[in-house]
Amino acid sequence: MPNIPPDALERLVRDTFVGWNTPADDATWVAAMLVRANLRGHDSHGVIRVPHYVRSLKAGETNPRPKIQVEYETPTIARVDGDLGFGQVVARRGIAIAIEKATAQGLSAVTLRRTNHVGRLADYAEIAAAAGLIGMVWVNAPMALNVAPTGGAARRLGTNPHAVGIPGPNGTVAMSLDFATSVWAEGKLKVKYARGEAVPPGIMQNAAGAPSTDPREYYGDPVGSLLTMGQHKGYGLSLAIEVLAGILSGTGAARPERGAVQNGTLMMCIDVSQFVPPADFHAEVARVFDFVRSAPLATGAKEILIPGEPEERTSRERRAHGVPVEDETWRQLAECAAEVGVTPPGVR
Amino acid sequence: MPNIPPDALERLVRDTFVGWNTPADDATWVAAMLVRANLRGHDSHGVIRVPHYVRSLKAGETNPRPKIQVEYETPTIARVDGDLGFGQVVARRGIAIAIEKATAQGLSAVTLRRTNHVGRLADYAEIAAAAGLIGMVWVNAPMALNVAPTGGAARRLGTNPHAVGIPGPNGTVAMSLDFATSVWAEGKLKVKYARGEAVPPGIMQNAAGAPSTDPREYYGDPVGSLLTMGQHKGYGLSLAIEVLAGILSGTGAARPERGAVQNGTLMMCIDVSQFVPPADFHAEVARVFDFVRSAPLATGAKEILIPGEPEERTSRERRAHGVPVEDETWRQLAECAAEVGVTPPGVR
């Protein structure tokens, strides 16, 4: 498995997308977001997606030069039509609008529709947090279903994630939360499947709606389904996200039709300075984090972490030593690059 | 166990609070909210709270005649100081402001501080939904801690619930979600404790941070702690709620000091008509609910429910046949009433 320096990986991905008619600035952004996911240890949202994105560009499902339009706006609200652009490109525009409105008005809500896979939600919540705002993001994927409702034996929901970013002082991010409302994201199951390993109980069920620990039953014919986190609680939140992100954005909620992945998205920003003096806010956030960390350790636990800390550590590690890219992924990346005349960097 | 007609129960509770110097209108509201929780089957948030509330009134911790003040406001934001009033009374004011602002501006955020136990969050999300808005509520309780962070062996968080109300057509509520970020609310554990029964694994741990199924270890000396739903996911959401509801409201986040329960609260409302024509919104909500319900049943499941449906059913049942009140609770209610010269209704 090669370890690729993040800069070289970004350039490779950028040049590949430029080769598919993506403007350099947009290609740079999408590449940076994909590599950022790898740096943070979320490889399922990293460069492994490049071949999918290239296929989507070839199929005309992703528009490399979208005319992103604000279809409607008020001082606090905007509805954005992404013109089937890269999700990351549309989301960058969306969060910029949300930040601008919340900075001026204290509060904002921006929806995105007709947009491809937006990538890791935490990125956008963190961009808001770095601007001194609380950022909240909800996303559905109405034609990429993999999760069963509580009591159901078939896929009726996406993994419908929710992210919250909390600002720290001086443009830092104090906390970054990003979770799927399924117990596991589908990518984790795929890794177990590829390795021929079982998953723990409580993650998935087979096509008959019986508990299963065998990923082959998830990918079988008929297919199995993922379960929701916290049973009915995660189910309820997931269904709420179908409404918040899917219906409000005009993308629509989960439906039986299959199609290209589109992420209905709702982003909200809150300016903390409208509620508490920022210095008091930051001091109280630091205090409660210290208080939480002051608990004695539970049996088997090594430490108590604040959401976002594991990602920060992995990021430092991978910035120093490179991003490990699986051989097969690297082969596919090189193939995608070669197709548009781009030469991948030499591999150690 | 007596079955009390809801109207008679409401009158008894109202008259008791009036006897403690609460204005009739406020006492009627608090009584209605408590009985509403009983009607919906959430007895832990129902009239069982009356003796606590009376103790709090006697101790001067609840102010029966608060001067509720809007400390700060913009067209979309309000910060409310509850002057230590009944939580339900302060939350009624808060949600009214949030509805007014969101109806005018499309979006609103209202915080509550210096307020007592606000009761069942769903009530306020449902009031917003009945007004055609999406209502979202988050609450912390910084001095009533019972939940351990992931990896920790001690109480560092409240049960920090989150509620979402989705509007239906013509002033109806399409969906009402209200969940604690702990696996179980503390009230459920208390019932098991009272009955001398064990709880399932994954609900709680003992004071040493080892998994436990014995509620006596939760209420022991030293105390145990509840676990978060979906492990680190519920922990992350709970910590975010400390910030959203506790810090933004000026109530503060979880802390070691013990004191009277105060609920830091954040309420947000979204006017769906700013995003989608209401008829389209309602049609799409109904469609996705039908789609979710159309899944075949999982092993052992009887049906697939939409959040809020179980409560609606219990409410119809209890409206018809009365609210079952445990003998000890009824004895205490009668005692609280008698203390201020109120005679409880005859019991079947």
Side-chain angles (χ1 to χ4, degrees):
Chain A
M1 189 188 306
N3 258 32
I4 316 292
D7 292 356
L9 195 55
E10 272 188 44
R11 276 194 303 273
L12 175 68
V13 173
R14 179 199 65 194
D15 292 348
T16 301
F17 291 144
V18 166
W20 286 101
N21 196 29
T22 309
D25 177 63
D26 289 356
T28 302
W29 177 256
V30 177
M33 291 299 103
L34 290 173
V35 173
R36 184 179 163 104
N38 286 114
L39 284 169
R40 280 164 171 67
H42 293 279
D43 294 332
S44 61
H45 283 62
V47 296
I48 198 172
R49 302 266 177 174
V50 171
H52 301 271
Y53 288 8
V54 167
R55 264 200 300 279
S56 179
L57 284 160
K58 285 184 188 175
E61 290 167 356
T62 294
N63 175 1
R65 295 183 174 270
K67 291 206 173 66
I68 301 173
Q69 300 213 337
V70 177
E71 296 183 291
Y72 173 83
E73 66 180 324
T74 76
T76 54
I77 290 170
R79 297 190 330 235
V80 175
D81 177 331
D83 194 24
L84 298 181
F86 277 107
Q88 291 87 347
V89 170
V90 183
R92 175 179 59 174
R93 178 74 175 277
I95 199 67
I97 297 169
I99 289 170
E100 193 187 330
K101 289 185 185 293
T103 303
Q105 302 290 332
L107 194 63
S108 66
V110 173
T111 57
L112 314 179
R113 76 179 183 105
R114 296 212 311 135
T115 177
N116 283 280
H117 183 247
V118 298
R120 230 183 117 234
L121 289 204
D123 294 336
Y124 305 97
E126 288 170 14
I127 291 169
L133 310 171
I134 293 176
M136 296 197 276
V137 191
W138 298 260
V139 160
N140 84 330
M143 291 180 291
L145 308 184
N146 33 32
V147 179
T150 299
R155 303 181 184 185
R156 287 295 183 270
L157 301 159
T159 50
N160 296 3
H162 176 34
V164 182
I166 304 292
N170 308 314
T172 59
V173 176
M175 169 177 148
S176 176
L177 174 70
D178 180 357
F179 62 93
T181 47
S182 51
V183 180
W184 273 17
E186 192 262 341
K188 239 171 127 176
L189 202 69
K190 193 173 268 172
V191 170
K192 290 288 189 182
Y193 175 68
R195 295 183 185 158
E197 293 173 4
V199 301
I203 308 292
M204 56 163 284
Q205 59 188 1
N206 64 23
S212 168
T213 58
D214 183 352
R216 287 173 302 186
E217 291 201 296
Y218 177 85
Y219 294 104
D221 179 15
V223 298
S225 51
L226 289 168
L227 299 171
T228 50
M229 69 177 243
Q231 286 91 38
H232 63 289
K233 298 184 180 194
Y235 158 55
L237 187 53
S238 181
L239 193 53
I241 291 173
E242 292 292 343
V243 178
L244 290 166
I247 300 182
L248 282 190
S249 70
T251 306
R255 48 185 178 268
E257 295 78 22
R258 293 311 210 75
V261 171
Q262 288 195 31
N263 279 158
T265 305
L266 171 65
M267 302 170 152
M268 296 183 81
C269 290
I270 303 173
D271 181 357
V272 301
S273 72
Q274 293 275 324
F275 294 88
V276 199
D280 295 357
F281 178 88
H282 298 312
E284 180 69 353
V285 168
R287 189 200 57 71
V288 71
F289 287 1
D290 283 346
F291 176 54
V292 164
R293 279 188 284 238
S294 75
L297 291 179
T299 306
K302 288 204 186 66
E303 60 185 328
I304 296 167
L305 293 162
I306 300 301
E309 279 187 331
E311 287 80 4
E312 274 307 308
R313 288 181 193 177
T314 306
S315 186
R316 277 196 296 275
E317 214 273 320
R318 292 188 169 184
R319 277 196 186 285
H321 301 106
V323 173
V325 179
E326 301 210 341
D327 291 330
E328 173 57 20
T329 302
W330 183 248
R331 194 192 61 73
Q332 290 183 21
L333 284 179
E335 199 173 279
C336 289
E339 211 178 345
V340 287
V342 173
T343 308
V347 162
R348 283 171 277 189
Chain B
M1 191 187 307
N3 259 30
I4 316 291
D7 292 355
L9 195 56
E10 271 189 43
R11 276 194 303 275
L12 176 68
V13 173
R14 177 198 66 194
D15 292 349
T16 301
F17 290 144
V18 166
W20 285 100
N21 195 29
T22 308
D25 177 61
D26 289 355
T28 301
W29 177 254
V30 178
M33 290 299 104
L34 290 172
V35 173
R36 184 179 164 103
N38 286 113
L39 283 169
R40 280 165 171 67
H42 293 279
D43 294 332
S44 61
H45 283 62
V47 296
I48 198 173
R49 302 267 177 172
V50 170
H52 302 270
Y53 287 7
V54 167
R55 265 201 300 279
S56 178
L57 285 160
K58 283 182 187 176
E61 290 167 357
T62 294
N63 175 2
R65 295 182 174 269
K67 290 203 174 69
I68 300 172
Q69 299 211 339
V70 177
E71 296 183 291
Y72 172 82
E73 68 179 322
T74 75
T76 54
I77 289 170
R79 298 191 329 237
V80 175
D81 177 331
D83 195 25
L84 299 181
F86 276 107
Q88 291 87 345
V89 171
V90 182
R92 175 179 58 173
R93 179 75 175 276
I95 200 66
I97 296 169
I99 289 170
E100 193 187 329
K101 289 184 185 293
T103 302
Q105 302 290 332
L107 194 63
S108 67
V110 172
T111 58
L112 315 178
R113 74 179 184 105
R114 298 213 308 135
T115 176
N116 283 281
H117 183 247
V118 298
R120 227 182 120 237
L121 290 205
D123 293 337
Y124 305 97
E126 288 169 15
I127 291 169
L133 310 172
I134 293 177
M136 295 197 276
V137 191
W138 298 262
V139 160
N140 85 330
M143 291 182 290
L145 308 184
N146 33 34
V147 179
T150 300
R155 303 182 184 184
R156 287 294 183 272
L157 301 158
T159 50
N160 297 3
H162 177 35
V164 182
I166 305 291
N170 307 317
T172 59
V173 176
M175 167 176 150
S176 176
L177 173 71
D178 181 358
F179 62 93
T181 47
S182 50
V183 181
W184 273 19
E186 192 262 340
K188 239 171 125 176
L189 202 69
K190 194 173 265 170
V191 169
K192 291 288 189 181
Y193 176 67
R195 293 181 186 161
E197 293 174 3
V199 302
I203 308 293
M204 58 163 285
Q205 58 188 1
N206 64 23
S212 168
T213 59
D214 183 353
R216 288 173 301 185
E217 291 201 296
Y218 178 86
Y219 294 104
D221 180 15
V223 296
S225 51
L226 290 168
L227 299 171
T228 50
M229 69 178 244
Q231 288 89 38
H232 62 288
K233 298 184 180 194
Y235 158 55
L237 187 54
S238 180
L239 193 54
I241 291 173
E242 292 291 345
V243 177
L244 289 167
I247 300 182
L248 282 191
S249 69
T251 306
R255 49 185 178 265
E257 297 78 22
R258 294 309 211 74
V261 172
Q262 289 195 30
N263 278 158
T265 305
L266 171 65
M267 302 168 153
M268 295 182 82
C269 290
I270 302 173
D271 181 357
V272 300
S273 73
Q274 293 275 324
F275 294 88
V276 199
D280 295 356
F281 178 89
H282 298 313
E284 180 69 354
V285 167
R287 189 201 56 74
V288 71
F289 287 1
D290 283 345
F291 176 55
V292 163
R293 279 188 284 237
S294 76
L297 291 178
T299 307
K302 289 206 187 64
E303 60 185 327
I304 297 167
L305 293 161
I306 300 301
E309 279 187 332
E311 286 80 3
E312 274 307 307
R313 289 181 192 176
T314 306
S315 186
R316 278 196 295 275
E317 214 273 322
R318 291 187 170 185
R319 278 198 185 284
H321 301 106
V323 173
V325 179
E326 301 211 340
D327 291 330
E328 174 57 19
T329 302
W330 184 247
R331 195 192 61 72
Q332 291 183 22
L333 284 179
E335 201 173 277
C336 289
E339 212 179 343
V340 288
V342 173
T343 308
V347 163
R348 283 173 273 189

